[in-house]
C-alpha cells in the first residue's frame, strides 16, 4: 500500500516525534446511507513536516441496504499533521467485509485543521474524498458499484515520542560567533557573550515586567541560549536544527506557552511593542523584513540590544546596537516587535 500527499503550504507546521491518533466521523456515498468511520493509528515523524501512520480502520455500514461493514489496516502520509494549523493527508488500505470475508481496498485524500491546546495534545477536523474499490480490482478499474464520496472526521492525537529535550546547561554556553548574515549580507562582526538568567530577569524587571513575568521571560530566553550552536534547518523544531520561528516556538513551549509555528503569525501574537530598542524587554519577539516588506524572519530579544535567532549560521546572538556590518544589516531590517510575557 502506498500513499502520497503534496501541499503548497507544507512549511506551515512540522511533524514532531510520534503518537497515537484517533479519528471518528461519517462517510457519505451517492445514493446510500452514511457510514460511520473509526481509525486508531500509531504515527511517526518521517522527515521535515511529513509523518506517516499505520493503524486499524473500521467502517460501520449497518445502515446501508447492502451492509458492507468492514475492518482492516490503513497506511497514511501527511504534511503538518502534528502541528497547529492546516495540514494535508492521504491514506490507502485493505479491509475485510464482515458479511463474506472478501477484501476491499480504499484510498482517501484531503485536508484538515488542527489546534494544539497543550504541547502533547492535538485536536482537529478533517475532510477527505474517499473511494472504495470492491474486490481490489485496482483504482484505475473502478466499477459503478465501487462507492465514493466525502468523509468528515474529528481527530484527537496524543504525542508521546517528541524529540528529546536539550538538557539545561548550568555552565555558561560558548560565545556566539557572528558570521554571514541571512539574506546575503556579510560582516565580520564580533562575539557576544549571552547574559545569565539572573541578569535577564533583572533587565526585564528594570523594563517594567512584574517579578513573575521577568522570571518566566528569563527562563524562555535561557532555553534559547542553551541551544546556541544548533545548526539552521528549514522547518526544524528540535535539537537537530531550527529555523527562525521553530527556535522561538520551542523556547516558549518548553515553558507551556503555545505560540504559532510560522514567523508571520508569531509577529501578530501577544501585545504590540514599538520596534525601538529602548522599548524592548527580554522575551519579546522581534520581526525582520528580510524579503520585501513583509516579516520573514524572527528573533528573541535577550536584553542589552541583543537578540538570539536561528539564521544561516545556526542559533546565535546578533546585535541591534553594535556598529559592525552584520549588526547594521539587522538594524536596517528590524520592523516589528511583540510581547508574549507581560
Amino acid at each position: 500500500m502506498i500513499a502520497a500527499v503534496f501541499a503548497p503550504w507544507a512549511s506551515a507546521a512540522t511533524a514532531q516525534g510520534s503518537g497515537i491518533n484517533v479519528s471518528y466521523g461519517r462517510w457519505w456515498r451517492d445514493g446510500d446511507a452514511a457510514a460511520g468511520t473509526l481509525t486508531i493509528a500509531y504515527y511517526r515523524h518521517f522527515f521535515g513536516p511529513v509523518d506517516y501512520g499505520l493503524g486499524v480502520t473500521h467502517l460501520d455500514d449497518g445502515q446501508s441496504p447492502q451492509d458492507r461493514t468492514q475492518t482492516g489496516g490503513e497506511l497514511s502520509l501527511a504534511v503538518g499533521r502534528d502541528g497547529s494549523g492546516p495540514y494535508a493527508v492521504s491514506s490507502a488500505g485493505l479491509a475485510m467485509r464482515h458479511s463474506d470475508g472478501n477484501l476491499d481496498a480504499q484510498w482517501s485524500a484531503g485536508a484538515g485543521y488542527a489546534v494544539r491546546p497543550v504541547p502533547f495534545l492535538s485536536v482537529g477536523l478533517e475532510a477527505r474524498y474517499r473511494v472504495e474499490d470492491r474486490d481490489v480490482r485496482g483504482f484505475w478499474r473502478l466499477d459503478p458499484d465501487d462507492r465514493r464520496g466525502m468523509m468528515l472526521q474529528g481527530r484527537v492525537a496524543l504525542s508521546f515520542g517528541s524529540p528529546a529535550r536539550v538538557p539545561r546547561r548550568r555552565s555558561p554556553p560558548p560565545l556566539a560567533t557572528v558570521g554571514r548574515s541571512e539574506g546575503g549580507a556579510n560582516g565580520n562582526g564580533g562575539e557576544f557573550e549571552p547574559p545569565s538568567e539572573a541578569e535577564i530577569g533583572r533587565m526585564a524587571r528594570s523594563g517594567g515586567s512584574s517579578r513573575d513575568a521577568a522570571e518566566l521571560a528569563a527562563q524562555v530566553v535561557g532555553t534559547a541560549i542553551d541551544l546556541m550552536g544548533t545548526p539552521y534547518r528549514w522547518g526544524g523544531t528540535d535539537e537537530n536544527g531550527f529555523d527562525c520561528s521553530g527556535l522561538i516556538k520551542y523556547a516558549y513551549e518548553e515553558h507551556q506557552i503555545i505560540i504559532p509555528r510560522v514567523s508571520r503569525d508569531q509577529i501578530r501574537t501577544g501585545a504590540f511593542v514599538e520596534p525601538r530598542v529602548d522599548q524592548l524587554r527580554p522575551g519579546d519577539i522581534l520581526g525582520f523584513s528580510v524579503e520585501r516588506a513583509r516579516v520573514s524572519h524572527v528573533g528573541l530579544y535577550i536584553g542589552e540590544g541583543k537578540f538570539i535567532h536561528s539564521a544561516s549560521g545556526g542559533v546565535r546572538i546578533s546585535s541591534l546596537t553594535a556598529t559592525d556590518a552584520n549588526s547594521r544589516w539587522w538594524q536596517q531590517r528590524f520592523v516589528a516587535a511583540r510581547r508574549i510575557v507581560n
Side-chain angles (χ1 to χ4, degrees):
M1 295 179 289
I2 300 175
V5 66
F6 301 92
W9 29 257
S11 63
T14 301
Q16 304 176 28
S18 59
I20 296 294
N21 180 89
V22 179
S23 300
Y24 178 78
R26 308 289 287 176
W27 179 37
W28 290 270
R29 293 74 42 88
D30 291 340
D32 209 343
T37 63
L38 174 66
T39 301
I40 302 175
Y42 171 72
Y43 68 90
R44 286 187 60 85
H45 175 229
F46 189 25
F47 66 89
V50 181
D51 70 81
Y52 68 92
L54 182 63
V56 176
T57 180
H58 176 72
L59 177 72
D60 181 2
D61 202 26
Q63 300 300 317
S64 173
Q66 185 182 15
D67 187 353
R68 279 159 65 173
T69 297
Q70 54 191 245
T71 303
E74 178 180 278
L75 176 67
S76 66
L77 197 64
V79 176
R81 180 167 51 181
D82 199 36
S84 295
Y87 65 91
V89 62
S90 66
S91 68
L94 288 173
M96 179 179 292
R97 277 181 250 148
H98 294 188
S99 59
D100 53 20
N102 287 330
L103 291 177
D104 290 342
Q106 65 85 16
W107 65 264
S108 64
Y113 193 92
V115 295
R116 187 171 285 277
V118 292
F120 58 85
L121 180 68
S122 173
V123 295
L125 185 68
E126 63 184 39
R128 304 195 207 180
Y129 186 76
R130 185 181 191 273
V131 175
E132 183 183 274
D133 179 17
R134 188 175 187 180
D135 300 324
V136 198
R137 287 180 295 269
F139 298 140
W140 56 93
R141 296 174 52 198
L142 296 175
D143 285 348
D145 62 345
D146 288 329
R147 303 180 299 178
R148 63 210 78 182
M150 291 302 300
M151 181 170 65
L152 186 66
Q153 295 186 122
R155 171 179 167 270
V156 177
L158 181 66
S159 302
F160 55 82
S162 56
R165 302 302 189 187
V166 178
R168 298 298 304 275
R169 296 194 296 269
R170 295 304 177 185
S171 58
L175 300 180
T177 300
V178 178
R180 185 177 185 274
S181 296
E182 180 176 285
N186 287 280
N188 295 325
E191 294 181 341
F192 301 111
E193 184 175 2
S196 67
E197 282 194 14
E199 292 171 330
I200 296 169
R202 285 194 293 270
M203 287 186 284
R205 287 293 305 279
S206 65
S209 295
S210 67
R211 183 180 298 276
D212 290 343
E215 181 179 350
L216 180 55
Q219 292 172 354
V220 170
V221 173
T223 296
I225 289 174
D226 283 345
L227 296 165
M228 281 169 57
T230 305
Y232 178 87
R233 181 168 64 90
W234 181 86
T237 59
D238 58 51
E239 72 279 4
N240 294 317
F242 292 94
D243 61 14
C244 63
S245 57
L247 171 67
I248 295 177
K249 182 175 177 64
Y250 180 97
Y252 269 104
E253 287 194 352
E254 281 290 276
H255 302 280
Q256 309 305 311
I257 300 175
I258 308 302
I259 64 172
R261 170 65 183 88
V262 294
S263 57
R264 65 176 178 270
D265 294 330
Q266 288 182 357
I267 207 62
R268 293 195 291 261
T269 301
F272 170 82
V273 178
E274 190 174 350
R276 289 169 31 202
V277 173
D278 61 357
Q279 298 297 309
L280 301 176
R281 297 179 193 171
D284 289 349
I285 298 177
L286 312 184
F288 298 87
S289 179
V290 176
E291 301 172 1
R292 298 182 295 275
R294 63 184 180 87
V295 170
S296 54
H297 186 79
V298 286
L300 192 66
Y301 189 66
I302 66 176
E304 299 178 328
K306 302 179 183 68
F307 65 99
I308 188 166
H309 61 139
S310 183
S312 57
V315 179
R316 62 187 190 180
I317 293 175
S318 295
S319 175
L320 290 172
T321 56
T323 58
D324 60 275
N326 179 279
S327 298
R328 290 198 303 271
W329 194 89
W330 289 110
Q331 293 163 21
Q332 293 165 1
R333 289 159 177 81
F334 175 39
V335 296
R338 306 292 288 195
R339 182 159 298 144
I340 306 300
V341 180
N342 199 351

